[in-house]
Amino acid sequence: MIIHIDLDGVIADFDKARNAHPLSKQSPYKGRPDKLPGIYKDLEPIPGSIEAVKKLLDDQRFEVFILSSAPWDNPDAWTHKRLWVEKYFGKAMRNKLILTKRKDLVIGDYLIDDLPWNGAKEFKGTWIHFGSDAFPDWEAILQKLENP
């Protein structure tokens, strides 16, 4: 089974970084946190996310990719996301990073994403809505994937 996992808000804590960024309430960044300089560089992992993704990576039933959207107006974000994935998952995983604005065009069985935007809601496989009542955390997601 092919599993795509969103980065921001699912593995990496974008909200925490946004709230802590000194420019987050200033123009032109207010309401556009994806444009904040360096916002993606040192995101903290969401609790349990690194261990859960590594568990999926070690499971022979799954082929795992990171499927993320990167802002066009913040090209440093593309580099920072790639470096973040390598930092936490190693060099092999950097080749499994897919950056796109159209997640619905990517082929897979599951998409784990916290938001319906950028085609997540229209994904042709099963969208697992991270942070929802049904899937509030990584424990619930692992339970779903291990016992489909």
Side-chain angles (χ1 to χ4, degrees):
M1 284 187 278
I2 297 174
I3 300 173
H4 296 288
I5 306 171
D6 181 39
L7 185 60
D8 313 316
V10 177
I11 304 173
D13 197 337
F14 182 81
D15 287 339
K16 185 174 184 178
R18 180 193 66 213
N19 292 334
H21 200 288
L23 300 175
S24 65
K25 295 191 179 10
Q26 296 179 21
S27 199
Y29 309 112
K30 188 175 182 179
R32 287 298 312 268
D34 58 325
K35 287 184 166 188
L36 286 163
I39 187 73
Y40 296 95
K41 188 175 180 189
D42 295 311
L43 297 174
E44 292 181 24
I46 287 180
S49 66
I50 303 301
E51 299 80 11
V53 172
K54 286 182 177 179
K55 188 172 186 178
L56 294 174
L57 288 167
D58 289 339
D59 191 320
Q60 297 300 312
R61 296 176 294 168
F62 307 126
E63 186 170 6
V64 179
F65 295 87
I66 305 296
L67 180 61
S68 187
S69 295
W72 294 108
D73 295 331
N74 185 356
D76 285 341
W78 296 60
T79 299
H80 293 158
K81 285 180 181 237
R82 210 278 293 152
L83 293 172
W84 196 95
V85 168
E86 183 177 341
K87 175 181 177 180
Y88 287 98
F89 301 110
K91 286 186 177 188
M93 196 62 184
R94 71 183 183 186
N95 294 324
K96 293 184 144 206
L97 171 63
I98 301 167
L99 297 174
T100 182
K101 284 288 188 188
R102 294 285 311 271
K103 295 177 182 180
D104 57 314
L105 297 179
V106 179
I107 297 169
D109 298 293
Y110 292 98
L111 169 61
I112 303 167
D113 204 324
D114 61 321
L115 297 171
W117 320 127
N118 299 321
K121 190 174 180 181
E122 293 78 28
F123 181 72
K124 302 297 184 277
T126 300
W127 171 38
I128 296 176
H129 188 177
F130 182 83
S132 66
D133 289 342
F135 302 104
D137 53 30
W138 273 100
E139 185 178 329
I141 289 173
L142 287 177
Q143 188 173 34
K144 162 75 174 170
L145 293 173
E146 291 171 351
N147 307 301

